[in-house]
Amino acid sequence: MTRSQFAMAVGADDKWVENTARLLRRRLKYTPLESVWLGLVRVFNQDVGLTLARSDELAREALGSQPRASTLVLGTTVSSVAGVSVEMARFYSSHAASLSAALEFGGEKRRGRPRPLRPRRGKQAALDHAARYGVDIGLLREGLKIPVAERLRIADENAAFVAEMQRSMRARA
């Protein structure tokens, strides 16, 4: 996401985004998740009138709370007389619309290839990860030793078996 798209998703201009990141001593990565945080900071700062530091605290508190679809009361006083009430479901809905518009209409996309989401790993590391997850790697290797024609014949037999079982279940009902 470009800085312009990010600013559009947050509901601010580019300069406000830059200055806010600098004042909060935070290096922005221009991700959708970070735009949620900064969008909430902007609401507290621009719409409610709180300082940036306090807006940052309340935004972190709101995003760290559960459940997501509720009204939160943040920053209450010691005697719980006053606080800031936030309709999180409405905020998430509004932010999702802003983010969608920013990504669709927010100007040119970043040049070049998109960065990979995860660093590339070797084949063995991927196999080890799959085995830890519970995938039977030995069964996969044995299946790959069978010729393609034989695998297709087995798949057809399995499909015919499943279709017959479905027909028999419908006949019972």
Side-chain angles (χ1 to χ4, degrees), residues 8-171:
M8 190 175 177
V10 167
D13 61 0
D14 291 8
K15 201 63 174 171
W16 186 88
V17 169
E18 282 182 25
N19 289 336
T20 300
R22 183 179 50 79
L23 290 170
L24 292 176
R25 292 182 178 92
R26 185 156 174 175
R27 186 179 173 128
L28 298 177
K29 297 178 184 165
Y30 304 136
T31 63
L33 186 61
E34 201 160 43
S35 72
V36 172
W37 163 77
L38 195 58
L40 204 49
V41 169
R42 191 205 60 75
V43 167
F44 290 140
N45 179 252
Q46 299 294 305
D47 299 345
V48 179
L50 300 174
T51 64
L52 278 176
R54 185 66 176 142
S55 298
D56 178 33
E57 291 172 14
L58 292 178
R60 289 173 192 267
E61 183 181 340
L63 295 174
S65 66
Q66 293 295 332
R68 286 177 53 141
S70 65
T71 302
L72 296 175
V73 179
L74 306 167
T76 58
T77 60
V78 176
S79 60
S80 297
V81 174
V84 176
S85 174
V86 181
E87 291 274 343
M88 291 304 289
R90 186 173 292 179
F91 171 75
Y92 282 121
S93 176
S94 173
H95 183 269
S98 297
L99 179 62
S100 177
L103 292 174
E104 190 64 30
F105 308 114
E108 293 184 21
K109 293 187 172 135
R110 203 175 265 199
R111 291 173 46 189
R113 291 185 179 169
R115 292 181 181 166
L117 296 177
R118 292 182 182 165
R120 293 184 182 220
R121 302 184 311 181
K123 187 180 0 175
Q124 188 58 45
L127 290 172
D128 292 343
H129 180 71
R132 282 194 307 274
Y133 187 75
V135 175
D136 187 354
I137 303 297
L139 186 62
L140 290 174
R141 288 179 198 259
E142 290 301 317
L144 289 173
K145 290 179 183 176
I146 301 172
V148 175
E150 181 68 18
R151 281 189 263 162
L152 288 173
R153 186 189 61 75
I154 293 169
D156 286 341
E157 287 176 3
N158 289 339
F161 174 75
V162 169
E164 182 60 36
M165 291 302 293
Q166 289 174 341
R167 277 193 294 274
S168 69
M169 292 301 289
R170 275 186 250 133

